Amino acid sequence: MKRKILVFLVLFSAVLSMLPASIFRPRFALVLSGGGAKGIAHIAILKELDRRGIVPDMVIGTSMGAVIGSLYAAGYSGEELEELVEETDLMSYFLHLYAVRGSDTIPSPFTDYDTNLLTVEFGSSGIGASNGLIDDQYINGFLRRYLSKVLSVKDFDDLSIPFRAIGADITNNRKVVFSTGSLFDAVRASMAIPVIFAPVQLEDGSYIMDGGLEDNLPTDIARDLGADIVLAVDVNDARHIHGEHANDMSTLSGTFSQFSDYLTEPNSAENYDEADWVIVPDTSDFSSMSFGSGEEILETGEIAVTENQGVFDELERRLSRWLPMERESYSSLPAAAIEHVIIDDVIPSSALSMLRLYEGRPMDYQTITELERTLDDIRRHEGLKAVTYEISDGVIYVMGERYPSLSGSIHLGLTGGIGVRYNGENDGKTFFAYTPDFTISGRIALLERLDFTYGVVVNEGITVEAGVSYPFLSSAFLYGDAGIKYGQQAYNSVPGTIDYEFSNDVSLFFKAGIGYLPLRDFRLDAVVGFSYTYLGNNLGKHVIYPYIGLGFVYDAYDGTDASGNGLETKLTFEFGGDFPSPSLAYAFKADVFGSFGPTDIFKFIFSGETATIRRNADLADAYVSTNMGIAASDYIYLMGGIRLPLPLSIFVDAGVFFEAFGGEHDDLAVSRDLIPYSELSLDRSQMDIGGYVGVGVATSFGQIKAALHISMTPRVSFMVGIE
């Protein structure tokens, strides 16, 4: 018996020696932890593996590790992911606060309510009609665009590298390891940070949230899947986070990061022993919300790679017989065609013809980008909470979600600026100028499509306004507003000008109109209005103003991207009469900005403003403030120049400008010439030609800019603000 066993072993050894060596290649797993923005450091490790020709047999990621890991598993190289971080404003995707509800996302030409700072939704079930603080429409679009070629993959083993994502089933209190199904759902669920992002609901009704709640460093999963070699990357430093590397809790983001670490790090520390090596980039100077510091976080990963060259050397030694390894790149993957589009009963049938234009098109980055824009159009026009879609076997299923009953929103906005101006034509006077508008606005759904709207504006006075809005058809709505304004409304109270003085005035007003959005970027308005103004102080005058108005807004420029092309313009025209001294009155105002260029590092820019106003000369509404701080009833401003977008969303502008103005208070009070622009003059005192320089940074809440105008007159204007 022993002889037979010995003979069998000898023969078995001989057979094994004849088999290809590749059969015995150890299975190598790469495990990427969660950590929010700190997970960007993972990319440096991916670059080093690429440089050495090492391809993991599996990638397992949690939260941000799942985002980076899914892109890598789909076929992107470490270098390509690094370029994505350097060229993309990640903050605008990951930290975009919830969008404004309703058809009037493009602001009305006649309403100066800004919503750029913060939006809070609420509903009958509690605060937050949306179950996440961040508007996931943006990050969803980001994931779908960059994973567009693999969205139809149902078995994650069929990716360029087999992939797993970790989620936390908060409905059934269990860990979920995504290996099949929707790749988008798996990644999106794994990164659903509680409160920040909405959880993902699966077909069985369970809600999945950030996998870090269950397993933030899933080395145990790698071993369960048969990995022989495990390299883990922990961007949170689980074993030291409560020591010298604890987050600075003096800030909201720092406190949130520390709380996140408190929830996720204990399970990460326990899993260190399951890994052969754990690389820990020093991200202690960053929080999980530091998406604006992508390049700096990348550098921490590069430093970690340098400090752990011995780890990579040993890994390369153990896999040397099979190097270099090959894998399919994302760029070489074919883009499947969209065969059919199906909508649910929430999406109006009128939108189906628009969506079917995508049938037959390849499911690539460009198509998904355009589809996302179209779905956002539908969401805004229909006043829906969300419009989402799923992709399966060439079919796109589009689904809508309505707001809950008695839902509403509160929006905060801030625009305008402060600065110093010098007027060489007025005895060399230097004066402080300010033009900020702070707004609190929002809406409450009274019925399914009838909204109560409200707003408070604080600028040169205080305005309180309330009204109703009723969407009808697919892209139009009726609205009416009434309000009161207290503050500076007399002619010597034009913000940003040399003659600004306090006045104690009050105005009551009402307007009703129709808004129409035929295109995503284009809005038309027709209004009829009435106002009564009492000018206090020494004037003691009453002014009654009935009017009709037309206006439009075209906004195809994304101000959060300094390197983008686009055009935005706003125009309003009002016609009526000022009483009790009967006289015709009108006001025409327009402004435009454009940015165009062949590359992302050089742009031609231009901007312009114009106004011609014939109102009661004692009113501040009879004038506009020029860029040089003059109150004028007729005004033209033109600027042309160049823009140089720089890293970190910074930009530098330079150009030349021309400005002409006319119509001082005394002149208007005497002449009241109704001919448009008749007050303009080419007299040197009413004309400026000079240079313009601006430096700013594009953010998700607008462009923060410092702008300097210097004219030959001479006049100087230096203003800092948000626009």
Side-chain angles (χ1 to χ4, degrees):
M1 183 67 182
K2 291 182 178 180
R3 171 179 278 184
K4 289 181 179 180
I5 294 175
L6 181 61
V7 170
F8 174 77
L9 291 175
V10 170
L11 292 174
F12 184 69
S13 299
V15 171
L16 290 179
S17 66
M18 293 165 41
L19 294 175
S22 60
I23 289 181
F24 300 99
R25 178 162 72 85
R27 300 190 69 196
F28 164 45
L30 176 66
V31 177
L32 305 177
S33 78
K38 294 184 286 187
I40 294 171
H42 290 313
I43 295 173
I45 283 75
L46 306 182
K47 287 175 56 185
E48 183 66 13
L49 294 176
D50 290 345
R51 187 181 71 82
R52 293 172 181 257
I54 301 174
V55 177
D57 293 286
M58 65 185 80
V59 176
I60 306 169
T62 295
S63 197
M64 193 62 177
V67 175
I68 300 295
S70 67
L71 293 168
Y72 190 61
Y76 288 93
S77 68
E79 289 282 356
E80 289 171 329
L81 293 178
E82 182 179 57
E83 291 176 5
L84 188 153
V85 169
E86 292 174 344
E87 297 174 1
T88 305
D89 181 9
L90 293 179
M91 184 175 292
S92 67
Y93 288 105
F94 285 90
L95 296 179
H96 200 295
L97 296 173
Y98 221 88
V100 182
R101 176 192 177 190
S103 301
D104 55 346
T105 302
I106 299 177
S108 166
F110 300 99
T111 303
D112 296 325
Y113 291 145
D114 297 296
T115 60
N116 54 322
L117 293 186
L118 176 67
T119 292
V120 177
E121 302 277 353
F122 57 85
S124 55
S125 300
I127 295 176
S130 304
N131 48 2
L133 183 62
I134 301 298
D135 185 358
D136 59 3
Q137 193 93 355
Y138 295 85
I139 185 58
N140 291 352
F142 173 86
L143 293 173
R144 286 190 172 112
R145 284 194 293 274
Y146 284 99
L147 293 172
S148 58
K149 293 183 180 181
V150 294
L151 288 177
S152 292
V153 172
K154 297 305 178 186
D155 187 338
F156 300 170
D157 286 342
D158 293 335
L159 295 170
S160 177
I161 301 174
F163 171 70
R164 300 291 185 271
I166 308 301
D169 183 348
I170 59 173
T171 308
N172 301 298
N173 192 24
R174 65 187 179 94
K175 176 166 58 180
V176 178
V177 181
F178 289 99
S179 60
T180 60
S182 166
L183 178 62
F184 167 79
D185 283 348
V187 177
R188 176 61 184 78
S190 184
M191 57 158 286
I193 303 171
V195 180
I196 303 299
F197 288 107
V200 172
Q201 185 177 20
L202 302 184
E203 292 182 0
D204 63 3
S206 60
Y207 285 89
I208 312 299
M209 301 194 75
D210 193 312
L213 298 174
E214 288 284 347
D215 198 345
N216 201 48
L217 190 68
T219 54
D220 54 331
I221 302 301
R223 294 299 186 188
D224 292 343
L225 294 174
D228 302 300
I229 303 173
V230 177
L231 171 62
V233 186
D234 180 16
V235 297
N236 286 330
D237 193 2
R239 291 189 170 177
H240 301 90
I241 195 67
H242 299 294
E244 59 180 310
H245 297 300
N247 294 288
D248 178 7
M249 295 182 64
S250 63
T251 65
L252 179 61
S253 61
T255 301
F256 175 81
S257 291
Q258 189 67 26
F259 178 67
S260 177
D261 293 337
Y262 172 79
L263 293 176
T264 63
E265 292 314 311
N267 60 60
S268 298
E270 293 174 0
N271 287 344
Y272 269 46
D273 295 337
E274 296 283 351
D276 292 271
W277 308 282
V278 179
I279 295 178
V280 184
D282 182 6
T283 59
S284 56
D285 290 336
F286 306 96
S287 77
S288 57
M289 297 296 165
S290 300
F291 287 100
S293 304
E295 294 189 38
E296 292 87 345
I297 297 174
L298 278 171
E299 290 180 9
T300 68
E302 297 288 356
I303 293 171
V305 167
T306 301
E307 294 174 345
N308 288 273
Q309 281 298 297
V311 171
F312 292 102
D313 290 341
E314 176 62 17
L315 178 61
E316 184 175 3
R317 185 191 66 78
R318 295 174 64 173
L319 298 173
S320 60
R321 296 175 61 188
W322 302 276
L323 299 181
M325 303 174 184
E326 301 291 338
R327 69 181 178 116
E328 193 172 20
S329 67
Y330 185 83
S331 60
S332 67
L333 296 177
I338 298 174
E339 298 178 6
H340 196 46
V341 178
I342 299 175
I343 62 174
D344 68 1
D345 56 2
V346 176
I347 305 297
S349 57
S350 59
L352 188 57
S353 59
M354 186 190 327
L355 293 172
R356 283 190 169 157
L357 294 175
Y358 291 94
E359 295 179 351
R361 294 185 56 177
M363 204 176 305
D364 55 14
Y365 181 94
Q366 182 63 34
T367 299
I368 295 297
T369 300
E370 294 179 19
L371 176 63
E372 291 278 344
R373 288 173 62 90
T374 300
L375 296 181
D376 199 35
D377 284 345
I378 296 172
R379 178 178 74 151
R380 296 190 305 164
H381 288 177
E382 298 303 319
L384 297 174
K385 174 183 173 182
V387 175
T388 60
Y389 62 99
E390 294 179 357
I391 298 176
S392 178
D393 299 324
V395 178
I396 294 182
Y397 300 86
V398 180
M399 300 157 287
E401 183 180 359
R402 295 189 176 95
Y403 282 89
S405 60
L406 295 178
S407 63
S409 60
I410 299 174
H411 316 294
L412 302 182
L414 176 65
T415 59
I418 58 175
V420 177
R421 286 172 167 161
Y422 167 78
N423 190 339
E425 287 292 313
N426 196 352
D427 299 325
K429 184 176 291 186
T430 301
F431 59 97
F432 173 74
Y434 78 99
T435 60
D437 285 0
F438 176 73
T439 64
I440 303 173
S441 61
R443 63 183 62 238
I444 299 174
L446 301 178
L447 301 173
E448 182 176 336
R449 298 180 67 84
L450 179 65
D451 289 342
F452 170 76
T453 61
Y454 56 91
V456 177
V457 181
V458 179
N459 41 31
E460 71 276 17
I462 299 177
T463 303
V464 179
E465 185 174 355
V468 292
S469 175
Y470 179 76
F472 67 98
L473 302 176
S474 62
S475 55
F477 54 96
L478 299 170
Y479 61 89
D481 295 292
I484 182 171
K485 178 178 180 179
Y486 171 81
Q488 294 91 305
Q489 298 176 85
Y491 71 91
N492 56 354
S493 310
V494 183
T497 63
I498 194 171
D499 297 320
Y500 184 80
E501 297 178 13
F502 177 79
S503 57
N504 188 15
D505 309 320
V506 65
S507 177
L508 304 175
F509 60 87
F510 167 81
K511 66 175 180 287
I514 299 176
Y516 178 53
L517 287 82
L519 301 171
R520 170 188 172 87
D521 305 312
F522 184 46
R523 169 171 172 155
L524 292 166
D525 278 77
V527 302
V528 56
F530 171 88
S531 69
Y532 161 77
T533 303
Y534 173 73
L535 300 177
N537 290 0
N538 297 324
L539 293 176
K541 291 187 176 181
H542 306 267
V543 180
I544 298 173
Y545 176 53
Y547 67 93
I548 58 174
L550 296 173
F552 78 80
V553 174
Y554 178 76
D555 187 356
Y557 174 69
D558 181 5
T560 66
D561 180 10
S563 62
N565 294 331
L567 175 71
E568 60 181 3
T569 185
K570 181 170 78 170
L571 178 152
T572 60
F573 174 74
E574 296 177 2
F575 178 79
D578 282 324
F579 299 94
S581 55
S583 61
L584 292 177
Y586 64 83
F588 172 78
K589 301 177 184 178
D591 59 73
V592 62
F593 174 83
S595 175
F596 299 94
T599 70
D600 289 342
I601 60 174
F602 178 83
K603 301 291 176 183
F604 291 103
I605 60 172
F606 65 89
S607 66
E609 297 178 49
T610 187
T612 181
I613 306 172
R614 296 298 182 269
R615 291 289 313 280
N616 186 306
D618 291 326
L619 293 171
D621 284 345
Y623 312 91
V624 295
S625 174
T626 75
N627 273 278
M628 306 305 289
I630 311 297
S633 63
D634 288 347
Y635 176 50
I636 294 176
Y637 168 85
L638 298 170
M639 187 279 294
I642 60 173
R643 167 167 292 180
L644 301 178
L646 302 175
L648 303 178
S649 299
I650 297 172
F651 60 90
V652 176
D653 296 342
V656 295
F657 75 93
F658 166 79
E659 184 172 274
F661 50 87
E664 297 179 3
H665 173 261
D666 292 339
D667 295 337
L668 280 182
V670 173
S671 66
R672 287 294 298 172
D673 190 336
L674 292 177
I675 300 175
Y677 295 105
S678 59
E679 300 293 332
L680 288 181
S681 170
L682 295 181
D683 182 88
R684 178 178 175 180
S685 64
Q686 294 180 266
M687 182 176 64
D688 284 303
I689 298 175
Y692 163 81
V693 177
V695 179
V697 57
T699 72
S700 60
F701 51 85
Q703 294 186 351
I704 304 174
K705 183 191 295 186
L708 175 66
H709 288 79
I710 302 178
S711 78
M712 300 171 59
T713 307
R715 293 189 180 96
V716 179
S717 172
F718 178 74
M719 299 289 289
V720 179
I722 301 177
E723 59 182 39

